[in-house]
Amino acid sequence: MSTKPSTRSTQAAPHVVRIIGGQWRRTRLPVADKPGLRPTPDRVRETLFNWLGQDLAGWHCVDAFSGTGALGLEAASRGADDVLLIEQDAALVAKLRQLKEQLKAEKVQVQRGDALAVLRGLPRASKDLVLLDPPFAADLFSSALAAAAPLVRAGGWVYLEAPSQADGAELEALGLTLHRHLKAGAVHAHLLQRAPA
């Protein structure tokens, strides 16, 4: 997940987030105390999945820059057929694999690697939803969108968290349109749709 200074007093990131809906509803996910790890807040995830719909049965999803896995595990909890969690940090990957076992999440795969490289290697038009929450300090937003856009089937979705609102011309060039947007603290959350066929 991404880097963002805390908007709360002196406390850094929360040490626990929870899955909002689906079969693992209320499951608590530990948040490692790592610089730059900024899990998507529960209320923002709740809004995202209200936008997408509660039932993701049959969906093929990728959670790039997984961090805690909160976004991807939320999709899996709501019935997605398969969810790929991509994370580079070895300790976070180990925790994601432990969570996968704990939840008996057979439709979840955890892959250690560079998210951009993994995205670029996946088949085109093979995903219904790509979740992007790159580290804010790394300024990977344009690269992540460019890697994700070709993966999404016509009418499919890309979710992006960024420190500023996405540029409309850049989205149009990638075949994406802004469907929904919200600002929560310093985070801009975007739900983008690939142009229908």
Side-chain angles (χ1 to χ4, degrees), residues 5 12 31 103:
V31 178
L103 295 170

Side-chain angles (χ1 to χ4, degrees), residues 103-167:
L103 295 170
K104 298 179 172 52
E106 295 173 4
K107 295 181 177 181
V108 173
Q109 298 176 10
V110 179
Q111 182 170 343
R112 183 179 180 197
D114 174 81
L116 295 180
V118 175
L119 290 175
R120 289 173 184 138
L122 294 173
R124 296 173 68 89
S126 62
K127 302 299 174 187
D128 300 284
L129 173 64
V130 179
L131 300 154
L132 300 174
D133 187 5
F136 277 20
D139 196 21
L140 298 172
F141 309 102
S142 293
S143 300
L145 279 174
L151 301 182
V152 181
R153 64 166 178 80
W157 305 97
V158 175
Y159 171 72
L160 173 70
E161 286 188 26
S164 59
Q165 190 161 354
D167 177 77

Side-chain angles (χ1 to χ4, degrees), residues 9-25:
S9 60
T10 55
Q11 186 179 8
H15 292 289
V16 173
V17 293
R18 64 189 171 91
I19 295 176
I20 304 296
Q23 65 176 320
W24 304 318
R25 185 178 181 188

Side-chain angles (χ1 to χ4, degrees), residues 7-8 17-18 26 29 47 71 73-74 78 86 113 134 154 169 196:
T7 54
R8 300 181 185 182
V17 293
R18 64 189 171 91
R26 296 191 185 95
L29 305 175
T47 299
L71 286 168
L73 291 171
E74 189 79 48
R78 293 166 188 260
I86 308 167

Side-chain angles (χ1 to χ4, degrees), residues 1-2 18 23 27-28 32 36 42 66 69 86 92-93 103 115 129 157 160 177 180 186:
M1 296 262 164
S2 314
R18 64 189 171 91
Q23 65 176 320
T27 298
R28 293 158 67 87
D42 292 356
S66 274
I86 308 167
L92 293 175
V93 168
L103 295 170
L129 173 64
W157 305 97
L160 173 70
T177 57
R180 295 286 181 94

